[in-house]
Amino acid sequence: MRFFSDNAARVHPSVFAAMAAADSLDTAYDGDRWSRSLDARLGELFEREVRVLWVPTGTAANCLALAALCPPYGGVICHRDAHIQNDEGGAPEFYTHGAKLMLADGPGAKLDPAGVAKVADAIADDVHRVQPHAVSITNATEYGRVYTPAEVAAIGELCRARGWRFHMDGARFANAMATTGAAPAEMTWRAGVDALSFGFVKNGGMSAEALVFFDPDLAAATLRRRKRAGLLLSKGRYLAAQILAMLEDDLWLANGRAANAAATTLAEAAGDRLIHPVEANELFLRATPDEAARLRAQGFDFYDWATGEVRFVTAWDSASEDIDRFAAAIRQL
Amino acid sequence: MRFFSDNAARVHPSVFAAMAAADSLDTAYDGDRWSRSLDARLGELFEREVRVLWVPTGTAANCLALAALCPPYGGVICHRDAHIQNDEGGAPEFYTHGAKLMLADGPGAKLDPAGVAKVADAIADDVHRVQPHAVSITNATEYGRVYTPAEVAAIGELCRARGWRFHMDGARFANAMATTGAAPAEMTWRAGVDALSFGFVKNGGMSAEALVFFDPDLAAATLRRRKRAGLLLSKGRYLAAQILAMLEDDLWLANGRAANAAATTLAEAAGDRLIHPVEANELFLRATPDEAARLRAQGFDFYDWATGEVRFVTAWDSASEDIDRFAAAIRQL
Amino acid sequence: MRFFSDNAARVHPSVFAAMAAADSLDTAYDGDRWSRSLDARLGELFEREVRVLWVPTGTAANCLALAALCPPYGGVICHRDAHIQNDEGGAPEFYTHGAKLMLADGPGAKLDPAGVAKVADAIADDVHRVQPHAVSITNATEYGRVYTPAEVAAIGELCRARGWRFHMDGARFANAMATTGAAPAEMTWRAGVDALSFGFVKNGGMSAEALVFFDPDLAAATLRRRKRAGLLLSKGRYLAAQILAMLEDDLWLANGRAANAAATTLAEAAGDRLIHPVEANELFLRATPDEAARLRAQGFDFYDWATGEVRFVTAWDSASEDIDRFAAAIRQL
Amino acid sequence: MRFFSDNAARVHPSVFAAMAAADSLDTAYDGDRWSRSLDARLGELFEREVRVLWVPTGTAANCLALAALCPPYGGVICHRDAHIQNDEGGAPEFYTHGAKLMLADGPGAKLDPAGVAKVADAIADDVHRVQPHAVSITNATEYGRVYTPAEVAAIGELCRARGWRFHMDGARFANAMATTGAAPAEMTWRAGVDALSFGFVKNGGMSAEALVFFDPDLAAATLRRRKRAGLLLSKGRYLAAQILAMLEDDLWLANGRAANAAATTLAEAAGDRLIHPVEANELFLRATPDEAARLRAQGFDFYDWATGEVRFVTAWDSASEDIDRFAAAIRQL
């Protein structure tokens, strides 16, 4: 019973079916009819004109976005615990040609305008200091916290006031949306977001994430950067088909809800062991090495996060009987 | 009836089946059992220890290889018509952090030691000139020509003599191998090749190419570069499974043979219209715009290569009745 | 008697004197009164608002300009024999983060609109091909040829029509201006040039070149790139003072004239040995190894350019008696 | 009376004289006799074989060193207040092609092995995390603290144990050496330092710093990187001459002593206003805005460091009467 990452979840049957259905002759790269329909399809979802690029990983989506939003000699303010800072092997620096990540603080890997401003205000505006050009937040965060549209908008306002761009890493966007029940537009461009990494792989997809630009002008150079990064798969239709399948009948949202519900069940079992409020599909718990060992002995697989801390991640395909057994095991600790 | 690129071919049923079979729980990234078996599986094929990384595109494979073989301040000698020079959107420069491609000449996009040496010998060995550090060849070439193992070895010998590294872009390696009947080892490391981009996507795969290092030491940094480029898919098992399926019972070779056979049939029909000998699965023909239009009117789809020149590409899935009809249509021009 | 390069010439006494005069207390970097006066001083010379950055080398000036004019995923069309292509150790690729130099042909390292267009027109406008974003020419050229303002303007017009930027490498701008007698404005921004590397080091300076932007908006990011490249000397006043001294009473032009006059004298002696017309301060001659040896035996120092070809370069400080002796020696070959 | 930075100090007369003496004909770049003598001259000082490159700025020296010691996908551990992190406009990221600075803590911008290890030990050794490859310290530090040879050696030992390289930013190396009285060898390579940025510009030079490699193998690629960064001045002899003049009769050390002595005088006057011990030529004091204004009204020029904090920097040319007047003024606050 696997709770170590939604990254390792299975592929949803609808996604597989859509890939099989795309197995016909069409143009290569992103000229096929599946790929060409993405702008319109996501435009509906977001209630405005958008430009959408499929890419095979969330790291690629994030870092193409950062390269579009920040020049090589600039900086991106993000949380100290952000995925782009800690888990992408230096990809932000590679894609931006050396821009600097500027680390802000906040509980549960969440930023707020004050925390962002504090980082920026400490930087003298001269040529010796790298200047911030963008902010990047993760929703849901690396600790399973969720920004509301209002919280996003507050940061978006700061960005506008300072002339910065604004990126949202939505590797778990579905989980955040399931929690808030917000309209996609409210959570993104109406809150000032310029680019969204809209994740599907953790949520039932196989190998396709959508990089969504709310400012179409930002997309043109990114089409070239995507090719230049070796990310333009020749059989792109199989990626576009995955995204379309995830959007069909809001499968993405249903999957997000399922993962969140599983997490809620476990959270109730965990009680005051919880280190962060559980708002999406990740749980961080206090557990002694001995307690962790006992859970593992019962067949539950998860990460040790730090000394005395463990992380559980649920996914769209977490079986309800596994969840129940796991909840029971947690209660018995 | 599509002859514009093998890039747009379908996915082989065995590849699809292997992906479905991989749809179970396992570790993320490249820690799963499919990914972990690649070194051994390709080691058998190449009759030596190798290190293998799956990547989603040939551009990624080529450019990760170049980054491993050439420093940012160095150069890579390749043919003027090489894919890395003309069709990768500047990816070699991105991955190598600005290394220079140094363009050599030769018929049919083939290099030979004299052509390579001519480029190198014109470069004074001082700090003002970028120095060559590697050679990259494409087999089969961009014009459908094939290097024999002896021809590769002649270039490999030059590389060794000059202290350069040697890369082979094998986007159509299967086609070259089908033509020559050589052992994989003879065509690669025994001929001095340090790294091979072993292509599957044009040949029945969906989204997985293998980057094969014959010098294991070269692979360690490349594991980091792959992650840093956003190429480390979290559900890597679906890529590894594709490669394993293509290797099973030498499917890759059978598919290469099928595409080559189709090309041979068309070549016989084309006769003295051919601009290059047809040794793999690409044909370049002289055809007036009017002739091209007549073929298109009959439902044949292909590229105009240059004024008065067209390109046809066959694939593993070229239907024999299509080939026959196409051959007949070409004859009737 | 040194004719191998104007690079190795001495520093003009006025330049030394200006550096000594700058040896007082003032602000660091480029905040001092000498540095702050450059925009106005060069604005007068060019008859318009300009932004000027001192830098210590011509390579730095050229490559900062290219980085301002071309994105990492773009290309710069230049002559196959351009300094940026052959003599800057890959600096253009470093500063632009991997932009591609696209090589055009033309006699004497001179480009014309047809030669430039030929390169560009061969590049399909798709995402697989790097697209040209700028043109760079060298005036005087690497073979001592000079563009007239009309010739520059013809290329400038092509740039405007295609939406490209336009750079002039003026390492020997003084020599070109001395030859043509043109107004600086005519040779540059009125002819469509966006950025000029205005060289002083070969012409009496020690360690200061001026990068001149005719579009002030281009300068802002370059101020940051200059710092980021480690080129912002803390005692910048000594560089600014050099440039101001070179501009005083048009010393730069007088020095250019002196070097050109010396070259003309040698050119008359060389007669039909000349490979290129002598329009600035460089001469390329046919000379057998034996003839070259005979000149060297008389104390004349110069480069062997190619088999049977030698290069002589005069400078602002070429002594007239040396020139006369060298002319005589050439005649006696 | 200027105390805002040693960066703005004058050029020592001996340095000027040496530049004038170098104003004769010689080879360009670094082929002249002054440049060619640097390895031997600094080899004597450091009592071992070294490779030395002149560069025009400390930023260039630091960042060429980092590029030699750390791959693009790696990280460099440095202090949170290090010059490379805060005052080089992103140059480390530019030169290293995007390596990450990893920020450690310690009083007075000094690192110790425990602080360095703490940063490193928090980084899991997997492909998702950038791994440390080098440590960089500044001696004297950005807060005017000095490392003893033993303190350097302790960090050097950690580096060796972990397989990391070790860089010392010696922009104020002379001040540190004047304080400790250590042998240059003890402070550097015997303590495990691989590369030293040996600063002269703050200490009487004009535009030349020495990048010293104690491992000669590291220098070869750096010669190419220096050119590639536009840092290879064609009239390099004027830079080499500056360095040779500073080394003559240990002028560098005498100048360092003079600046330190001036700082000591001021420190005695400052008493318990001092925020950091004064060990070199920088003082950080508590002073209210009103107090700062009163000092400025008397003609003393300095930086406001933070609210209620000011910084004074002495230099080799701080006039003793200025120092006495300044000390008196500080006492009278």
Side-chain angles (χ1 to χ4, degrees):
Chain A
M1 288 159 291
R2 186 211 54 223
F3 295 95
F4 73 85
S5 179
D6 41 4
N7 252 341
R10 282 169 308 167
V11 172
H12 193 277
S14 297
V15 169
F16 254 123
M19 293 170 78
D23 193 36
S24 64
L25 301 185
D26 204 319
T27 305
Y29 304 109
D30 61 353
D32 62 274
R33 63 181 177 276
W34 294 269
S35 299
R36 278 183 290 112
S37 74
L38 289 177
D39 285 1
R41 185 65 192 83
L42 279 147
E44 282 169 34
L45 186 70
F46 285 101
E47 305 174 51
R48 63 159 291 155
E49 188 186 359
V50 296
R51 290 281 179 285
V52 182
L53 294 86
W54 45 250
V55 287
T57 67
T59 295
N62 287 339
C63 296
L64 284 173
L66 297 184
L69 305 182
C70 180
Y73 50 83
V76 177
I77 299 174
C78 67
H79 196 280
R80 187 174 304 285
D81 295 325
H83 196 267
I84 57 174
Q85 164 67 3
N86 292 318
D87 292 291
E88 302 193 344
E93 290 86 353
F94 181 51
Y95 275 84
T96 62
H97 298 292
K100 222 175 175 70
L101 298 183
M102 298 167 159
L103 307 182
D105 294 296
K110 274 183 76 173
L111 295 180
D112 62 20
V116 171
K118 189 180 165 190
V119 169
D121 293 344
I123 299 172
D125 181 14
D126 62 40
V127 83
H128 306 280
R129 302 295 306 260
V130 175
Q131 302 297 313
H133 284 248
V135 173
S136 177
I137 65 173
T138 310
N139 199 13
T141 77
E142 288 75 7
Y143 284 113
R145 302 292 308 276
V146 168
Y147 290 87
T148 64
E151 289 169 332
V152 176
I155 298 173
E157 208 167 310
L158 178 67
C159 289
R160 254 193 318 280
R162 303 277 180 121
W164 301 333
R165 294 291 196 163
F166 191 14
H167 167 249
M168 182 180 283
D169 174 355
R172 295 189 180 96
F173 188 66
N175 305 95
M177 297 304 289
T179 295
T180 59
E186 292 306 314
M187 188 62 101
T188 56
W189 62 274
R190 284 201 186 112
V193 172
D194 294 298
L196 169 71
S197 304
F198 191 163
F200 296 104
V201 172
K202 292 177 193 292
N203 194 34
M206 177 191 285
S207 60
E209 313 278 70
L211 171 54
V212 183
F213 285 108
F214 300 107
D215 176 347
D217 289 347
L218 292 168
T222 306
L223 288 168
R224 297 196 174 276
R225 288 186 198 271
R226 177 175 63 174
K227 172 68 195 183
R228 191 176 193 237
L231 297 168
L232 185 66
L233 282 82
S234 57
K235 298 184 177 173
R237 61 192 184 274
Y238 299 99
L239 275 74
Q242 294 178 49
I243 295 172
L244 293 169
M246 289 295 296
L247 295 175
E248 188 74 23
D249 295 329
D250 284 337
L251 175 59
W252 66 286
L253 210 44
N255 282 1
R257 278 191 204 110
N260 288 2
T264 301
T265 300
L266 298 183
E268 284 159 8
D272 56 12
R273 288 180 178 275
L274 291 174
I275 297 167
H276 300 286
V278 174
E279 298 170 353
N281 67 324
E282 294 190 287
L283 300 96
F284 295 80
L285 285 79
R286 274 173 291 269
T288 63
D290 176 65
E291 290 170 334
R294 276 150 55 198
L295 291 174
R296 287 202 174 95
Q298 297 171 66
F300 302 104
D301 190 10
F302 51 86
Y303 272 136
D304 290 321
W305 191 252
T307 309
E309 301 182 13
V310 296
R311 187 188 76 167
F312 307 151
V313 189
T314 59
W316 71 273
D317 61 346
S318 298
S320 65
E321 57 276 19
D322 289 352
I323 293 294
D324 292 342
R325 264 184 290 175
F326 198 18
I330 293 167
R331 279 203 179 84
Q332 285 166 8
L333 282 181
Chain B
M1 287 159 294
R2 187 210 54 223
F3 295 95
F4 74 85
S5 179
D6 39 5
N7 253 339
R10 280 170 307 166
V11 171
H12 193 278
S14 297
V15 169
F16 254 122
M19 293 169 78
D23 192 36
S24 65
L25 302 186
D26 205 318
T27 305
Y29 305 109
D30 61 353
D32 62 275
R33 62 181 178 276
W34 294 269
S35 299
R36 278 182 289 115
S37 74
L38 290 177
D39 285 1
R41 185 66 192 82
L42 280 147
E44 283 169 35
L45 186 70
F46 285 102
E47 305 173 51
R48 64 159 288 157
E49 189 187 359
V50 296
R51 288 282 178 285
V52 182
L53 294 86
W54 45 250
V55 287
T57 69
T59 294
N62 287 339
C63 296
L64 283 173
L66 298 183
L69 304 183
C70 180
Y73 50 83
V76 177
I77 299 175
C78 67
H79 195 279
R80 187 174 304 286
D81 296 324
H83 196 267
I84 57 173
Q85 162 69 2
N86 292 317
D87 292 291
E88 302 194 344
E93 290 86 352
F94 181 51
Y95 275 83
T96 61
H97 298 293
K100 225 176 173 69
L101 298 183
M102 300 168 156
L103 308 181
D105 294 294
K110 275 182 77 172
L111 295 181
D112 62 20
V116 171
K118 188 181 167 191
V119 169
D121 293 344
I123 298 171
D125 181 13
D126 63 40
V127 84
H128 306 281
R129 302 294 306 259
V130 175
Q131 303 297 314
H133 284 248
V135 172
S136 177
I137 66 172
T138 311
N139 197 16
T141 77
E142 290 75 6
Y143 284 113
R145 304 291 309 274
V146 168
Y147 290 87
T148 64
E151 289 169 333
V152 175
I155 298 173
E157 208 166 311
L158 178 66
C159 289
R160 254 193 318 279
R162 302 277 182 122
W164 301 333
R165 294 291 195 164
F166 190 14
H167 168 248
M168 180 181 284
D169 174 356
R172 294 189 180 94
F173 187 67
N175 306 96
M177 296 305 288
T179 296
T180 58
E186 293 305 314
M187 188 61 101
T188 56
W189 63 274
R190 283 201 186 115
V193 172
D194 294 297
L196 168 71
S197 303
F198 190 163
F200 296 103
V201 173
K202 293 177 193 290
N203 194 34
M206 178 191 285
S207 60
E209 312 278 69
L211 171 53
V212 182
F213 285 107
F214 300 106
D215 176 347
D217 289 346
L218 292 169
T222 305
L223 288 168
R224 297 196 174 275
R225 290 186 197 272
R226 177 174 64 171
K227 170 68 195 181
R228 192 176 191 234
L231 296 168
L232 185 66
L233 282 83
S234 57
K235 298 184 177 172
R237 59 192 183 274
Y238 299 100
L239 275 74
Q242 293 178 49
I243 295 171
L244 293 169
M246 290 294 297
L247 295 175
E248 188 73 25
D249 295 330
D250 285 337
L251 176 60
W252 67 285
L253 211 44
N255 282 359
R257 277 192 204 110
N260 287 2
T264 302
T265 301
L266 298 183
E268 283 159 8
D272 57 14
R273 287 179 178 275
L274 290 174
I275 298 167
H276 299 287
V278 174
E279 298 169 354
N281 66 325
E282 294 190 287
L283 299 96
F284 295 81
L285 285 79
R286 274 172 291 269
T288 65
D290 177 64
E291 290 170 333
R294 275 152 56 199
L295 290 174
R296 288 202 174 94
Q298 298 170 67
F300 301 104
D301 190 12
F302 51 86
Y303 272 137
D304 291 321
W305 191 253
T307 311
E309 300 182 14
V310 296
R311 185 189 76 166
F312 308 150
V313 189
T314 58
W316 70 273
D317 62 346
S318 297
S320 66
E321 57 276 19
D322 288 352
I323 293 294
D324 292 342
R325 263 185 290 175
F326 198 20
I330 294 166
R331 281 206 176 82
Q332 284 167 12
L333 282 182
Chain C
M1 288 161 291
R2 187 211 54 225
F3 294 96
F4 73 85
S5 179
D6 40 5
N7 253 339
R10 282 169 307 165
V11 172
H12 193 277
S14 297
V15 169
F16 254 123
M19 294 170 78
D23 192 36
S24 64
L25 303 185
D26 204 319
T27 305
Y29 303 110
D30 62 352
D32 62 275
R33 61 181 179 276
W34 294 269
S35 298
R36 278 183 290 113
S37 74
L38 289 177
D39 284 2
R41 185 63 193 85
L42 279 147
E44 282 169 35
L45 186 71
F46 285 102
E47 305 173 51
R48 65 157 289 157
E49 189 187 358
V50 296
R51 289 282 179 284
V52 182
L53 295 86
W54 45 250
V55 287
T57 68
T59 294
N62 287 339
C63 296
L64 284 172
L66 298 183
L69 304 183
C70 180
Y73 51 83
V76 176
I77 300 175
C78 67
H79 195 280
R80 187 174 305 285
D81 296 325
H83 196 267
I84 57 173
Q85 162 67 5
N86 292 317
D87 292 291
E88 302 193 343
E93 290 85 354
F94 180 52
Y95 275 84
T96 62
H97 297 292
K100 226 177 171 70
L101 298 183
M102 299 168 156
L103 307 182
D105 294 295
K110 275 182 77 173
L111 295 180
D112 62 21
V116 172
K118 189 180 167 192
V119 169
D121 293 344
I123 298 172
D125 181 13
D126 63 40
V127 83
H128 305 281
R129 303 294 305 259
V130 175
Q131 303 297 313
H133 284 248
V135 173
S136 177
I137 64 172
T138 310
N139 199 15
T141 77
E142 289 75 7
Y143 284 113
R145 303 291 309 273
V146 168
Y147 289 89
T148 64
E151 290 170 332
V152 175
I155 298 173
E157 209 167 310
L158 178 66
C159 289
R160 255 192 318 279
R162 303 278 180 120
W164 301 332
R165 293 292 195 163
F166 191 13
H167 167 249
M168 180 180 285
D169 174 355
R172 294 190 180 96
F173 187 66
N175 305 95
M177 296 305 289
T179 296
T180 58
E186 292 306 313
M187 187 62 101
T188 58
W189 62 274
R190 285 202 185 111
V193 172
D194 294 297
L196 168 71
S197 303
F198 191 162
F200 296 104
V201 172
K202 293 177 193 291
N203 194 34
M206 178 192 283
S207 60
E209 311 278 71
L211 171 53
V212 183
F213 285 108
F214 300 107
D215 177 346
D217 289 347
L218 293 168
T222 307
L223 288 168
R224 296 195 175 276
R225 289 187 198 272
R226 176 176 62 173
K227 171 69 196 181
R228 192 177 192 235
L231 296 168
L232 185 66
L233 284 83
S234 57
K235 298 184 177 172
R237 60 192 185 274
Y238 299 100
L239 275 73
Q242 293 178 48
I243 294 172
L244 293 169
M246 290 294 297
L247 296 175
E248 188 73 24
D249 295 329
D250 285 337
L251 175 60
W252 67 284
L253 211 43
N255 282 0
R257 278 192 203 109
N260 287 2
T264 302
T265 299
L266 298 183
E268 284 161 8
D272 57 12
R273 287 179 179 275
L274 292 174
I275 297 167
H276 299 287
V278 174
E279 297 170 352
N281 66 323
E282 294 190 287
L283 299 95
F284 294 81
L285 285 78
R286 276 173 289 270
T288 64
D290 177 64
E291 290 169 333
R294 276 151 56 199
L295 290 174
R296 288 200 174 96
Q298 298 170 68
F300 302 104
D301 189 11
F302 52 85
Y303 272 137
D304 290 322
W305 191 252
T307 310
E309 301 182 16
V310 295
R311 187 188 76 166
F312 308 150
V313 189
T314 59
W316 71 273
D317 62 345
S318 297
S320 65
E321 57 275 19
D322 288 353
I323 293 294
D324 292 343
R325 264 185 289 176
F326 197 20
I330 293 167
R331 280 203 177 85
Q332 282 167 11
L333 284 181
Chain D
M1 287 159 292
R2 186 211 54 223
F3 294 95
F4 73 86
S5 180
D6 41 4
N7 253 340
R10 282 169 306 166
V11 171
H12 193 279
S14 297
V15 169
F16 254 122
M19 294 170 77
D23 192 37
S24 64
L25 302 184
D26 204 319
T27 304
Y29 304 109
D30 61 353
D32 61 275
R33 62 182 178 275
W34 294 270
S35 299
R36 279 182 290 112
S37 73
L38 289 177
D39 284 2
R41 184 65 192 81
L42 279 147
E44 282 168 36
L45 186 70
F46 286 101
E47 305 174 51
R48 65 159 288 156
E49 188 186 359
V50 297
R51 289 281 179 284
V52 183
L53 294 86
W54 44 251
V55 287
T57 68
T59 295
N62 287 339
C63 296
L64 284 172
L66 298 184
L69 304 184
C70 180
Y73 50 83
V76 177
I77 299 175
C78 66
H79 196 279
R80 186 174 305 286
D81 296 323
H83 196 267
I84 57 174
Q85 163 68 2
N86 293 316
D87 291 289
E88 301 194 342
E93 290 86 353
F94 181 50
Y95 275 83
T96 61
H97 298 293
K100 224 175 174 71
L101 298 184
M102 300 168 157
L103 307 182
D105 293 295
K110 274 182 78 172
L111 295 180
D112 61 21
V116 171
K118 189 180 165 190
V119 169
D121 292 344
I123 298 172
D125 182 14
D126 63 39
V127 83
H128 305 281
R129 303 294 306 261
V130 175
Q131 302 297 313
H133 283 249
V135 173
S136 177
I137 64 172
T138 311
N139 199 13
T141 77
E142 289 76 6
Y143 284 113
R145 301 293 309 274
V146 168
Y147 290 88
T148 63
E151 289 170 333
V152 175
I155 299 173
E157 208 166 309
L158 179 66
C159 290
R160 254 193 317 279
R162 303 276 181 122
W164 301 333
R165 292 292 196 164
F166 192 13
H167 167 248
M168 181 180 285
D169 174 356
R172 294 189 181 96
F173 187 67
N175 306 95
M177 296 305 288
T179 296
T180 58
E186 293 305 313
M187 188 61 102
T188 57
W189 64 273
R190 285 202 186 112
V193 172
D194 294 299
L196 168 71
S197 304
F198 192 163
F200 296 104
V201 172
K202 293 177 193 290
N203 194 33
M206 178 191 284
S207 60
E209 312 278 70
L211 171 53
V212 182
F213 285 108
F214 300 106
D215 176 346
D217 289 347
L218 293 168
T222 306
L223 289 168
R224 297 197 173 274
R225 290 188 198 269
R226 176 174 65 173
K227 171 69 195 182
R228 192 176 190 234
L231 296 168
L232 185 66
L233 283 84
S234 57
K235 297 183 178 174
R237 60 192 184 274
Y238 299 100
L239 275 74
Q242 293 178 50
I243 295 172
L244 294 169
M246 290 294 297
L247 296 175
E248 186 75 22
D249 294 331
D250 284 336
L251 175 59
W252 66 285
L253 211 43
N255 282 0
R257 279 192 203 108
N260 287 3
T264 301
T265 299
L266 297 183
E268 284 160 8
D272 56 13
R273 288 179 177 275
L274 290 175
I275 297 166
H276 299 286
V278 174
E279 298 170 353
N281 66 325
E282 294 189 287
L283 300 95
F284 295 80
L285 286 78
R286 276 173 289 271
T288 65
D290 177 63
E291 289 170 333
R294 274 151 57 198
L295 290 175
R296 287 200 175 98
Q298 299 171 63
F300 302 104
D301 190 12
F302 53 85
Y303 273 136
D304 290 323
W305 191 253
T307 309
E309 300 182 14
V310 296
R311 186 188 76 166
F312 308 150
V313 189
T314 59
W316 70 272
D317 62 346
S318 297
S320 65
E321 57 276 17
D322 288 354
I323 294 294
D324 292 343
R325 264 185 289 176
F326 197 19
I330 294 167
R331 281 204 176 84
Q332 284 167 11
L333 282 181

